[in-house]
């Protein structure tokens, strides 16, 4: 039986909304245009919920609002978007697209959830939306019900889905880079395991899968490495995303790990003892990389405090509310200006032929004034242990002040290594194909299974529910084909979930657009603009299309065409076959993906690009020939078919020998408008040039 849909207007807890700031402000665009807006800040009496509303002037208002939900809301989350500028400016996008902007802290700043009440996230979001409608009628002076659209990515995507499934406050939703109920911690553990095993082969893997490479990343791997690479690949880690693994960044796993141990402590004991768990094999990589030792302190260094260089309240607002950085708010910072360290009597020594694995290494103080304190190890140089801040750890500077010479300490990375194969012991139902590699021919798990499947617990705690597909409105999902944190197959899983509860009629309820060459992060500039670009403009265009679908019945573009093979999402090469909202460029150097030339010899670069039917026209093209992240060489399109297709050419000569990667960045816009600041949808392509 379907549960009753939550109506915030009937909830006594949110019946006493108030506004404590109401004033006119100015928003400045990159081109210097200033847009006045009315800013309101307030909350609900008797609750920790706070919100911000940003209303455009009446001549810009079209009767709607967009409400953003952060993955990890904090105590001042409602202020997080205020200092943001440029293409990432959510407020300016609303003001220029007929909408007012809504953001709240969703109740508090606790990890994964907002209070002991798991429903607080979606209830407080709905309450903020409904109260904004009350204030909108006051601002614009006439009675109406503004259309409301909720959106958010990653953990914010879970919250967005919770809002559209469980409340009547929203007419549409745009969840993006979303996970399934089993995403956490399994996407993070699979990647961390592969990165540990392959940490000395990552450069070779990247080269093999890069433009002009061999195409065979297994060629450089031994049997153990090949097995780890195959495991993470079958699970869904995209091949082209390996460049993001260079720094061995495990994303939010350090934040998630303590929660897993709290829910399933027996696993971390069984892992090192019970057959079937990797750590129980004395010849395994887990045993080889494990650090578990006692030693004593010889010397400690406590650095000084860093001066506060910021001034003004707004500048001090924590703006980390994106899908890749919101979780970092859960890690404390000591604000030091140099690295703190301890010198120990003994430090771990690497086994012959293997380097030390320091990820997740914790130093625990066993005696003295600091006994019971735990701090994260950053690196080891000879007998010196450098410490860093970590989630769930004690403050480094305060701990160091208590430590004295001769204190006993313990170094241990056992838990962090153990969690890296947790996904093997968390096999869900058969509709999760990424786990097929961990099942036998009859569908039974190959490895011992834990009693608790923690994925749905994690994924339900923050939003307060598990996805069921019973949406109360329209949704457009934006997904990243290079998503290294929430593997791309999970967006398809949710689309199929919606279809399953609507008798297969998914097209009347849902669209899913896959964007190529984009990672999980939702900022304009990726971690490496030469390997990836951004989906932000595609998301903004999807929000516009969502409003047109709901308000005017204008059908959005069809979902991307794709197939799912286990953990792989496969899209056609041509844009007209792929569909979606993103142009597809094909770059060649001297007619090939890998050109061999002499020093000083001209290389002819050609890009052929195509926009999916109905997705607009090509607008911009730019080049990076020698590693420039800002694409300094601007090109010109030779357009045809009303701008849907185009060719651009460039010539460049390299003055030094070496291997170069030339990259082209193309943009398209729904109406071919080069002046539109928020909807220039990007894509890139690469070629290899070997200069002799």
């Amino acid at each position: 039986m379907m549960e009753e849909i939550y109506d915030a207007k009937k909830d006594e807890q949110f019946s006493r909304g108030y506004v404590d700031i109401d004033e006119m402000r100015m928003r400045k665009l990159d081109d210097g245009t200033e847009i006045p807006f009315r800013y309101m800040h307030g909350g609900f009496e008797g609750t920790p919920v706070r919100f911000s509303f940003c209303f455009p002037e009446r001549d810009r208002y079209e009767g709607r609002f967009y409400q953003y939900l952060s993955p990890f809301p904090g105590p001042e989350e409602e202020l997080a978007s205020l200092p943001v500028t440029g293409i990432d400016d959510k407020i300016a996008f609303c003001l220029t697209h007929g909408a007012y902007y809504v953001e709240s802290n969703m109740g508090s700043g606790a990890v994964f959830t907002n209070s002991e009440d798991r429903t607080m996230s979606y209830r407080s979001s709905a309450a903020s939306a409904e109260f904004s409608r009350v204030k909108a009628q006051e601002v614009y002076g006439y009675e109406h019900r503004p259309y409301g659209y909720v959106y958010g990515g990653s953990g914010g995507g879970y919250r967005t889905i919770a809002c559209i499934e469980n409340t009547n406050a929203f007419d549409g939703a745009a969840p993006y880079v979303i996970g399934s109920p089993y995403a956490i911690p399994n996407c993070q553990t699979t990647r961390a395991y592969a990165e540990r095993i392959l940490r000395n082969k990552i450069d070779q893997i990247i080269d093999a899968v890069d433009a002009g490479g061999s195409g065979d990343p297994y060629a450089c791997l031994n049997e153990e490495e090949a097995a780890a690479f195959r495991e993470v690949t079958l699970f869904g880690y995209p091949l082209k995303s390996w460049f993001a693994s260079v720094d061995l960044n495990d994303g939010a796993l350090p934040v998630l790990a303590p929660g897993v141990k709290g829910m399933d402590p027996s696993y971390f004991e069984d892992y090192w003892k019970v057959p079937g768990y990797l750590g129980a094999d004395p010849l395994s990589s887990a045993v080889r990389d494990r650090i578990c030792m006692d030693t004593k302190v010889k010397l400690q260094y406590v650095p000084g405090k860093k001066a506060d260089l910021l001034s003004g309240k707004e500048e001090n607002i924590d703006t980390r509310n994106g899908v890749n950085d919101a979780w970092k708010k859960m890690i404390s910072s000591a604000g030091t200006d140099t690295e703190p360290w301890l010198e120990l009597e003994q430090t771990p020594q690497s086994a012959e032929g293997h380097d030390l694995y320091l990820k997740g290494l914790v130093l625990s103080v066993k005696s003295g004034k600091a006994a019971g304190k735990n701090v994260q190890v950053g690196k080891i140089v000879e007998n010196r242990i450098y410490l860093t801040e970590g989630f769930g750890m004690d403050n480094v500077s305060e701990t160091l002040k208590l430590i004295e010479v001769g204190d006993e300490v313990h170094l241990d990375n056992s838990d962090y290594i153990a969690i890296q194969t947790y996904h093997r012991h968390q096999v869900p139902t058969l509709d999760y194909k990424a786990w097929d590699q961990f099942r036998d021919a009859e569908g039974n798990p190959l490895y011992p299974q834990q009693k608790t499947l923690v994925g749905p617990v994690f994924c339900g705690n923050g939003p307060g529910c598990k996805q069921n597909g019973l949406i109360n409105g329209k949704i457009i999902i934006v997904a990243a084909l290079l998503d290294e944190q929430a593997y791309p197959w999970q967006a398809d899983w949710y689309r199929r979930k919606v279809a399953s509860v609507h008798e297969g009629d998914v097209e009347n309820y849902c669209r899913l657009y896959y964007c190529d060459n984009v990672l999980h992060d939702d900022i304009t500039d990726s971690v490496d603009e030469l390997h990836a670009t951004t989906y932000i403009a595609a998301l903004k265009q999807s929000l516009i299309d969502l409003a047109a679908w709901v308000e005017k019945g204008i059908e959005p573009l069809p979902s991307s065409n794709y197939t799912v093979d286990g953990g792989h999402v496969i899209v056609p090469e041509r844009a007209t076959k792929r569909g979606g909202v993103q142009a597809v460029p094909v770059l060649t150097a001297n007619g090939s993906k890998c050109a061999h030339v002499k020093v000083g010899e001209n290389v002819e670069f050609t890009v052929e690009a195509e926009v999916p039917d109905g997705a607009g026209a090509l607008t911009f093209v730019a080049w990076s020939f020698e590693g420039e992240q800002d694409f300094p060489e601007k090109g010109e399109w030779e357009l045809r078919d009303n701008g849907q297709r185009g060719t651009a050419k460039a010539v460049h000569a390299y003055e030094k020998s070496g291997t170069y990667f030339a990259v082209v960045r193309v943009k398209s816009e729904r109406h071919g408008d080069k002046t539109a600041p928020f909807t220039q949808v990007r894509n890139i392509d690469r070629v290899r040039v070997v200069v002799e």
Side-chain angles (χ1 to χ4, degrees), residues 254 258 330-332 360-364 373-377 388-396 399:
M330 307 307 166
I331 298 178
S332 61
L361 182 60
V362 175
L363 182 144
S364 302
K373 300 288 187 181
N374 299 288
V375 289
Q376 197 81 48
V377 175
T388 187
E389 299 296 338
F391 177 74
M393 299 290 111
D394 293 296
N395 181 276
V396 171
T399 301

Side-chain angles (χ1 to χ4, degrees), residues 352-371:
E352 184 177 353
H354 300 283
D355 57 336
L356 284 174
Y357 182 73
L358 302 181
K359 296 285 290 185
L361 182 60
V362 175
L363 182 144
S364 302
V365 185
K366 297 300 182 182
S367 67
K369 298 177 182 177

Side-chain angles (χ1 to χ4, degrees), residues 227-419:
F229 186 76
R230 186 176 298 108
E231 181 172 325
V232 73
T233 302
L234 289 174
F235 206 87
Y237 189 40
L239 289 177
K240 289 197 298 183
S241 298
W242 271 92
F243 78 90
S245 289
V246 169
D247 60 359
L248 301 180
N249 182 356
D250 298 334
L253 186 57
V255 171
L256 300 171
V260 175
K261 188 170 185 179
M263 283 186 279
D264 194 3
S266 65
Y267 169 82
F268 295 86
E269 298 178 6
D270 293 345
Y271 181 85
W272 300 104
K273 302 174 182 177
V274 178
Y277 295 86
L278 186 64
D281 178 359
L283 301 179
S284 69
S285 65
V287 174
R288 184 178 67 231
D289 286 333
R290 186 184 190 188
I291 296 173
C292 185
M293 63 173 291
D294 296 309
T295 184
K296 292 183 178 181
V297 175
K298 286 183 65 177
L299 185 66
Q300 81 270 34
Y301 172 68
V302 184
K305 287 284 184 178
K306 179 172 62 179
D308 184 6
L309 302 179
L310 300 177
S311 60
K313 177 176 174 54
E314 193 163 292
E315 292 183 358
N316 281 307
I317 295 168
D318 192 337
T319 64
R320 294 178 295 178
N321 68 345
V323 299
N324 261 15
D325 64 0
W327 63 270
K328 295 177 182 178
K329 293 183 291 190
M330 307 307 166
I331 298 178
S332 61
S333 175
T336 55
D337 54 11
T338 56
E339 296 178 276
W341 50 263
L342 287 172
E343 186 173 329
L344 305 179
E345 290 184 356
Q346 292 178 303
T347 53
Q349 302 298 314
S350 58
E352 184 177 353
H354 300 283
D355 57 336
L356 284 174
Y357 182 73
L358 302 181
K359 296 285 290 185
L361 182 60
V362 175
L363 182 144
S364 302
V365 185
K366 297 300 182 182
S367 67
K369 298 177 182 177
K373 300 288 187 181
N374 299 288
V375 289
Q376 197 81 48
V377 175
K379 62 183 178 181
I380 298 177
V381 180
E382 296 179 344
N383 278 10
R384 187 173 290 181
I385 302 282
Y386 288 85
L387 305 175
T388 187
E389 299 296 338
F391 177 74
M393 299 290 111
D394 293 296
N395 181 276
V396 171
S397 293
E398 296 302 319
T399 301
L400 281 175
K401 291 176 182 178
L402 297 174
I403 290 178
E404 297 176 341
V405 173
D407 283 351
E408 298 174 352
V409 296
H410 180 73
L411 294 169
D412 205 323
N413 65 359
S414 301
D415 287 351
Y416 200 71
I417 288 177
I419 200 174

Side-chain angles (χ1 to χ4, degrees), residues 60 71 112 157 245 265 298 335 345 356 382 435 446 598 643 660 688:
R60 288 182 175 270
F112 304 123
S245 289
K298 286 183 65 177
E345 290 184 356
L356 284 174
E382 296 179 344
W435 274 268
L446 296 172
K598 301 295 184 181
Y660 298 84
R688 184 186 305 238

Side-chain angles (χ1 to χ4, degrees), residues 37-54:
F37 69 98
R38 185 168 171 179
Y39 175 71
M40 290 186 187
H41 177 276
F44 295 97
E45 292 181 13
T47 79
V49 178
R50 303 290 181 268
F51 53 71
S52 284
F53 306 150
C54 301

Side-chain angles (χ1 to χ4, degrees), residues 401-529:
K401 291 176 182 178
L402 297 174
I403 290 178
E404 297 176 341
V405 173
D407 283 351
E408 298 174 352
V409 296
H410 180 73
L411 294 169
D412 205 323
N413 65 359
S414 301
D415 287 351
Y416 200 71
I417 288 177
I419 200 174
Q420 293 172 2
T421 48
Y422 194 65
H423 51 275
R424 296 180 179 179
H425 311 279
Q426 292 280 294
V427 177
T429 52
L430 292 173
D431 53 325
Y432 292 91
K433 299 299 182 183
W435 274 268
D436 283 354
Q437 61 184 305
F438 307 123
R439 299 183 176 105
D440 63 19
E442 285 73 41
N444 300 311
L446 296 172
Y447 297 100
Q449 295 298 293
Q450 298 303 112
K451 294 180 180 179
T452 301
L453 289 171
V454 304
V457 179
F458 269 110
C459 298
N461 275 356
C465 63
K466 178 182 175 181
Q467 302 106 300
N468 58 34
L470 292 168
I471 56 176
N472 299 294
K474 310 287 191 183
I475 65 167
I476 295 180
I477 306 166
V478 176
L481 283 175
L482 267 62
D483 199 323
E484 79 288 12
Q485 300 290 346
Y487 300 154
W489 60 264
Q490 294 171 110
D492 169 71
W493 179 90
Y494 187 68
R495 183 188 182 209
R496 288 187 290 108
K497 175 62 69 175
V498 173
S500 71
V501 296
H502 291 94
E503 300 180 348
D505 183 20
V506 70
E507 293 306 308
N508 279 325
Y509 297 91
C510 174
R511 293 291 189 275
L512 167 54
Y513 301 133
Y514 276 110
C515 293
D516 200 7
N517 298 309
V518 298
L519 296 164
H520 191 69
D521 210 356
D522 58 349
I523 56 175
T524 300
D525 296 321
S526 69
V527 294
D528 183 345
E529 282 291 289

